[in-house]
Amino acid sequence: MEQFNRKFKLGLALGSGGAKGMAHLGALKALEEEGFEFDFVAGTSIGSIVGALYAKGYSSDDMSALFKEVIDGDPALVLAFTLGVISLTEVIDKFTGGAHFSDLKKPFRAVAVDADSGKEVVFKDGELSLALAASSAIPPFKPVVHGGRILVDGAFLNYVPSDVVKDLGADFVLAVNLGKGRDLNDKIKADLDDIYPNNRVPYANRSEKCYKFADFVLEPDLSKYTSASFGSFEEMYEIGYQTVKKNVEKIRKTINAKVNAV
């Protein structure tokens, strides 16, 4: 394990990206091999699902097996979801096994957006599947209605929640951005406007907080893929893995510089 002063807390922010989240698993595999362990984690959309499993104690190999099992191994589940028989919350419950935030081994947060107020919502307690479904509810997925609020994907405002990890108490935040650097929400906002024209989600730079609050940002080159590229699991996994390997010495130097500055 990487020998940093354990009073110095490491945090991990995992970004949105749908199927491109497979790169998160490759990145985590490489980080495990290099001995990194994170004290805090937060995520948006697919990043929230991967982050919750990490906080639950799953290894990258555990997650890879689980994703393949759910995506490839249960066609009845996929059909039921497509027909609207079951909800996104019920699908995600297959990943979380009915767990609550209180069951997690590490502090974790999931980011969503209240469509009516246009404000960011940070989940920190309650049922995991509900929080992760809200964080992942980007069109064509239906919003999650909970507590009188209409909740949609956190990617509308906070694509990679580095600020949330910093607020948890991390001294150093490593972020993984699956997008294209600094990114506006205009395209996905147009999709939301079509479905829910009365929403108050503002136009915004949804990656601003990623770069403002992270100490190091990993940017796997996933330009060849889309959020629906589920058939490219291995390729995207390898890109995430190699991105960490290519940057690991830079990450260590950046952490050590900050440790020495404390």
Side-chain angles (χ1 to χ4, degrees):
M1 181 174 294
E2 195 71 25
Q3 295 302 307
F4 297 117
N5 183 340
R6 294 314 294 158
K7 291 182 180 180
F8 187 89
K9 302 296 184 180
L10 303 182
L12 182 64
L14 299 175
S16 177
K20 291 189 286 186
M22 300 309 104
H24 283 322
L25 303 186
L28 283 173
K29 177 65 173 180
L31 289 165
E32 289 167 358
E33 289 179 353
E34 297 293 341
F36 290 93
E37 181 178 346
F38 296 90
D39 303 284
F40 306 107
V41 61
T44 297
S45 201
I46 187 64
S48 73
I49 297 173
V50 174
L53 294 175
Y54 179 82
K56 200 168 185 277
Y58 281 51
S59 69
S60 59
D61 289 343
D62 294 334
M63 291 184 226
S64 295
L66 180 60
F67 271 77
K68 289 179 179 178
E69 177 184 343
V70 173
I71 293 171
D72 298 332
D74 196 344
L77 176 69
V78 175
L79 177 61
F81 175 68
T82 304
L83 295 175
V85 176
I86 61 174
S87 68
L88 182 58
T89 304
E90 291 171 292
V91 172
I92 291 176
D93 196 55
K94 294 288 185 179
F95 291 94
T96 63
H100 287 63
F101 278 79
S102 57
D103 298 317
L104 302 179
K105 297 178 181 180
K106 297 176 184 290
F108 165 74
R109 300 289 184 267
V111 176
V113 172
D114 183 332
D116 284 327
S117 70
K119 302 292 185 182
E120 191 173 321
V121 176
V122 179
F123 282 91
K124 62 180 181 180
D125 53 30
E127 192 175 348
L128 268 178
S129 58
L130 187 146
L132 304 185
S135 182
S136 304
I138 198 163
F141 299 138
K142 296 178 181 178
V144 172
V145 179
H146 177 68
R149 298 186 294 186
I150 296 175
L151 301 170
V152 295
D153 199 306
F156 283 104
L157 292 181
N158 197 350
Y159 199 70
V160 189
S162 301
D163 60 317
V164 177
V165 179
K166 184 74 74 175
D167 287 344
L168 278 168
D171 299 297
F172 180 95
V173 178
L174 177 66
V176 185
N177 184 359
L178 305 178
K180 300 176 181 178
R182 291 159 176 79
D183 193 9
L184 301 178
N185 69 352
D186 51 342
K187 292 182 181 180
I188 60 171
K189 174 73 165 69
D191 293 335
L192 181 64
D193 292 344
D194 288 340
I195 295 172
Y196 186 43
N198 294 323
N199 78 86
R200 295 182 180 176
V201 177
Y203 287 98
N205 180 344
R206 57 187 181 149
S207 293
E208 180 179 5
K209 293 177 179 177
C210 169
Y211 293 91
K212 182 177 180 180
F213 292 95
D215 297 284
F216 197 101
V217 181
L218 290 167
E219 298 175 310
D221 182 3
L222 300 168
S223 56
K224 291 170 52 179
Y225 308 95
T226 72
S227 60
S229 297
F230 289 101
S232 301
F233 184 106
E234 288 81 5
E235 295 170 30
M236 293 186 290
Y237 179 100
E238 183 65 17
I239 290 171
Y241 180 88
Q242 292 299 336
T243 299
V244 170
K245 291 295 188 178
K246 291 174 183 176
N247 286 278
V248 68
E249 292 308 318
K250 292 180 182 178
I251 296 171
R252 285 196 176 100
K253 288 178 180 178
T254 309
I255 293 175
N256 284 323
K258 194 157 189 181
V259 170
N260 292 333
V262 173

